[in-house]
Amino acid sequence: MAEAASSENKVSVEHRGGVAIVTIDNPPVNALSFSVRKPLHDTLVRLRDDAATAAIVLTCAGRTFIAGADITEFGKPMQDPDLRALIALLEAIEKPTVAAIHGTALGGGLELALGCHFRVADKAAKLGLPEVKLGLLPGAGGTVRLPALVGPLKALDMITSGAPIAATEALEAGLVDTLATDGLVADAAAFAAVKAAEGGPFVAVRSRRDKIAAADREQLEARIKAVIAKAKGLRAPVACTEAVRNAVLLPFDEALAAERALFVELVTSDQSRAQRHLFFAEREAAKVAGVDKSVKPRPIHRVGIIGAGTMGGGIAMAFANGGIAVTLVEAAHEALQRGLERIEKNYAISVSRGSLSDAAKAARMALLSGTTDYAALADCDLIIEAVFEDMAVKKEVLASIDKVAKPGTIIATNTSYLDVNALAASVSRPQDFAGMHFFSPANIMKLLEIVRGKDTAPDVLVTLLSLARSIGKVPVVVGVCHGFVGNRMLTARGADVEALLLEGASPADVDKAFTDFGWPMGPFQMWDLAGLDISWRNRKALGKTALIADWLCEQGRFGQKTGRGFYLYADGRTAQPDPELAIHIANEAKRLGIAPRVISAEEIIERTLYPLINEGSRILEEGIAARESDVDLVWVNGYGFPLGKGGPMFWARQKGLSGIVDRLNHWHQQTGKDVFKPSEWLKATTAEQTVR
Ligand code: 3HC
Ligand code: NAI
């Protein structure tokens, strides 16, 4: 992280009577870099020994309390004092110590606050231990001190979800002692002075054992089991449960030592490296070539959406969930009604599952209005078309939008494949036009590909990036090509997936290799779920074929919705292998002279992922994606690429690019394709790696 100030002035002290106010100033988020730890350590030693200091308040300058350890220091030798030593020093001070918290107290920041006797928070503050999202656990006593303060059950929820809680909830849970009313630092100083006047001894969090003793162990074990069941192959959530259990079962110092061992295991793991890579990838993706930092977003109060089908409905929910008003436009009343009913039903399911309150459902529905009249779009600041994937239909719809949209309104298309520049030509303001490629289900999937047309204005990109983030999406700016980043790479995978069937793997073999790798489902399960007819139509439009999938479609086997696809679905849901399909594949293989063989799971993964990675490298070479990490974000957030593997390009680098090129070469020869020609990007990058 950028060093914003010299280490001397990152920690300053102001004396207000007997209360010393220690202020940390390490922009942008006051991370606990060495340049903070060292002066903070020295300052605390001085104040501990200073007879004139009766109490210490720890606070931060800028927009937030400490947001955690400095993530950029992980993987490098830790310079002393480390955070644990700092907290031990703080905890042993016999004068009252008070953390004054505003913004976000996260990770190591909250752990430092837990080393204080007391915590005073601003009403808008948030407190949490998000380490699990980085493939880690809190490594400076958080898994041991938080259970002591809020009880093991609450601590388990906070640590395994990584989600911060609001100050009011923190007060209720016992995590903070009081909320500031007259100004944070003044209130914290007054609080500290009262405590000093009352006199000690002041109880350190480590000595509070009442909530640990009262813990319902059976309930704790049940919750731990539930967390493990949802861990999806990730080690960090499981390690978090082990640490919280230790906090209950072991003496404090033993639990602390066990937490340390788990932290060391995790911080050096590939999974955590991958998740840290994705953390920085999200932040990098906000930086767009040719777009200056000073460019301001346009205000977006109301969004118009044309088409209330699968995507239009999901996109409308995504905005309503983010508190943004939506006008939905359909061609006919019946379709509009159907669309609105589907949205209502989706919200009702969330209510029945307990993940949404009735009031929240009503509030979201109240943000949605439907019409068949394009004139209703006149007050929208952004209008997204999500009608059929057909150039002529989309052009007509866009021209109609252009007629009613006010000046400055951004017009966007949700097309999956069509040429965004050609679509931009159907409006009179191509500078206000872009692609907004949401992923299905659009209210759930986090990815948004923002497609930059040749005329798209910088402030349109900035607006869409910030709008996407405000509704919880992960936006990635991509260039114009058939399928953009994600679908183009997916198409590159498709051919080899089918080839594997002809060479002897069954759909179940392929899908199992995928789920074992960490994907939520395999390609055949996915196709059956999405409906085979969609890609069949797309292939026909492009004059392309797929031997097995086309045959299935010709039989009317479109997947789960018809009860038959690559699998049979006797009960409509459970996939069973289909002997008839197996015979058909064997016959086709014979006809083509392909001898069946046993194909390992490793080969299945390599055969399907390497062509995808190769396509990713072409995408980078052509500048369709600005950086490898953008491609990774697309795959993790749009297609379920395993989080713990960091995305295809990160994974490829871990594997070694030259090995991948060799294997691609080998398969091209073996399957009688042309000689494999690596992209310029692959050539350059493998050469660079060899030199290193
Ligand atoms: N270490 C290093 N850099 C960090 C950082 C951290 N902990 N947290 C944020 N940054 C950097 C970001 O990379 C970004 O850098 P850039 O401007 O060069 O791209 C800059 O700070 C601003 O961050 P955001 O763009 O994310 O700012 P926001 O205002 O949107 O969000 C935030 C602020 C909520 C604090 C968010 O940055 C965040 O969630 N940070 C990570 C918090 C976290 O995971 N803490 C735990 C760290 S691990 C730990 O503490 C281990 C301990 O248990 C031992
Ligand atoms: P859909 O068929 O479910 O919905 C399209 C809707 O548009 C229908 O309700 C139709 O009545 C409406 N419509 C058609 N012409 C209209 C007009 N002139 N005015 C108003 N409404 C009109 O299709 P789906 O799946 O929602 O796809 C929409 C777009 O989203 C397509 O471009 C598709 O490629 C893209 N997309 C689809 C994804 C998917 O998984 N289904 C994923 C990402 C993008």
Side-chain angles (χ1 to χ4, degrees), residues 665-678:
N665 239 329
H666 167 77
W667 292 316
H668 268 247
Q669 282 166 13
Q670 204 176 44
T671 53
K673 291 185 195 164
D674 302 340
V675 175
F676 172 67
K677 294 191 199 77

Side-chain angles (χ1 to χ4, degrees), residues 618-643:
R618 293 196 185 286
I619 280 169
L620 287 165
E621 179 179 278
E622 293 165 25
I624 299 294
R627 45 184 93 81
E628 287 167 52
S629 59
D630 283 1
V631 177
D632 290 334
L633 285 180
V634 164
W635 275 84
V636 168
N637 294 292
Y639 300 84
F641 191 96
L643 192 65

